[in-house]
Each structure stands twice: as C-alpha cells, then as structure tokens.
C-alpha cells in the first residue's frame, strides 16, 4: 500500500470521526447510525464499520493526530508468511531446473512432488516469489511447442 492510499484511508477515517472529535454530535446516537451503514472505504470497497472501531480511531487521532489514522505498514513486508527462507531457496533451485515450465504447471508439479503441501501455499505465493527473482519469464508459446513436437516426432529439421 503506497503513501497516497494510506492518506486516502486516513482522510476517510477522519471524515467519520470528525463530528465526534469536534463534539458536534451525541456519541451514542452517532455511533449507532454510522455503524449501521455501509461505507465505501477508499481502496478497500464497501464495508460496515463497527462502533468500537470508530472509537478506536478517535483515540488514536487524539493521541497521534492525523498520521495515527493511516493504516500501518506490515512489519514483514516483502517476506512470505507461508514460506521459510529455506523453502524459498529450495523452490527457486527447482525453478532453475525448469525455467520454461509455465508457472501454473510448475505450481502443480511442486504439489505433486510433495515439495509444498496442498492447500498450504497458494499459487500466488509461488508466483510472487518467482516474479521477485525474475523467474517467471516468457513461457513458450503453443506454436513453438507444437513446432518442437512436430520436429521431434517426424525428424524434420526445417519446417
């Protein structure tokens, strides 16, 4: 999440708590009314927001100002929650053995070979790891694969 997105979300949060912070409304009535509505949260979509959450935002704003309303960055940003560094190294080494294999097939291959447990690590976790290390690459086109297959089965070198 970039700084602009964090700022937009903080503005949204401030918009909800401003009447409370400024003493313009009766808290109990306002919280009941606001928590019953569906709000369009920037970059997150439509959500209901609990009264307790709104009170938490008020407390954070009073203690830390506008910046306290911004969503926190993940402390483990850029690191997989599912894969240990050893698992990552192992998967990267396997990928280097099969660089042209489509990522979807490579993912299925990892599951079939027992390299990763099924339903433990998602396809997108593997894809992000490979992309981070520039191992996604351009997969061979179907036309190229058919041409290779044709040459192999017929022995024709030029076609």
């Amino acid at each position: 999440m970039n700084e602009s997105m964090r700022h937009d979300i903080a503005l949204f949060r401030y918009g909800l708590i401003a009447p409370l912070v400024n003493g313009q409304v009766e808290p109990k009535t306002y919280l009941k009314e606001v928590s019953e509505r569906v709000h369009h949260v920037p970059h997150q979509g439509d959500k209901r927001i609990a009264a307790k959450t709104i009170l938490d935002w008020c407390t954070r704003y009073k203690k830390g100002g506008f910046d306290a309303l911004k969503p926190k960055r993940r402390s483990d940003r850029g690191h997989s929650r599912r894969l240990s560094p050893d698992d990552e190294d192992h998967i990267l080494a396997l990928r280097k053995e099969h660089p042209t294999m489509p990522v979807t097939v490579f993912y299925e291959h990892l599951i079939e070979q027992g390299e990763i447990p099924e339903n433990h690590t998602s396809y997108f976790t593997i894809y992000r790891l490979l992309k981070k290390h520039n191992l996604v690459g351009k997969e061979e086109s179907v036309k190229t694969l058919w041409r290779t297959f044709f040459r192999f089965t017929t022995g024709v070198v030029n076609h």
Side-chain angles (χ1 to χ4, degrees):
M1 180 177 300
N2 65 35
E3 189 58 31
S4 173
M5 293 167 79
R6 292 176 69 231
H7 183 77
D8 292 346
I9 292 169
L11 276 175
F12 167 79
R13 290 174 178 179
Y14 181 75
L16 284 183
I17 67 167
L20 287 171
V21 172
N22 296 327
Q24 298 169 326
V25 294
E26 194 278 310
K28 198 170 191 176
T29 307
Y30 180 75
L31 289 171
K32 183 177 187 316
E33 176 189 315
V34 171
S35 64
E36 289 176 349
R37 284 188 279 165
V38 174
H39 302 274
H40 182 75
V41 182
H43 311 288
Q44 295 179 355
D46 295 337
K47 295 184 174 195
R48 288 189 189 276
I49 299 168
K52 186 173 187 247
T53 301
I54 296 169
L55 288 173
D56 178 54
W57 293 342
C58 285
T59 304
R60 287 167 49 189
Y61 178 77
K62 288 175 184 175
K63 286 182 181 178
F66 184 78
D67 284 343
L69 295 176
K70 293 179 180 179
K72 291 183 174 66
R73 297 186 187 272
R74 278 183 43 189
S75 62
D76 63 347
R77 187 174 159 200
H79 300 285
S80 173
R81 295 180 192 183
R82 290 286 182 177
L83 298 173
S84 70
D86 289 339
D87 291 338
E88 287 184 5
D89 291 341
H90 182 66
I91 290 168
L92 292 172
L94 291 172
R95 178 60 177 179
K96 288 176 182 170
E97 293 174 14
H98 307 284
T100 59
M101 185 183 287
V103 178
T104 52
V105 175
F106 180 70
Y107 174 72
E108 291 170 7
H109 175 74
L110 291 174
I111 292 171
E112 288 170 5
Q113 298 300 312
E115 301 293 345
I116 57 172
E118 193 170 4
N119 299 325
H120 174 70
T121 307
S122 74
Y123 162 79
F124 293 104
T125 298
I126 300 299
Y127 179 84
R128 278 190 299 272
L129 172 67
L130 298 178
K131 185 169 176 80
K132 179 180 172 183
H133 293 276
N134 294 321
L135 293 172
V136 173
K138 293 182 180 173
E139 297 160 358
E140 291 186 82
S141 69
V142 173
K143 187 175 181 179
T144 304
L145 292 172
W146 273 109
R147 189 177 301 135
T148 304
F149 175 74
F150 179 76
R151 287 179 187 157
F152 177 76
T153 56
T154 62
V156 176
V157 178
N158 259 340
H159 184 271

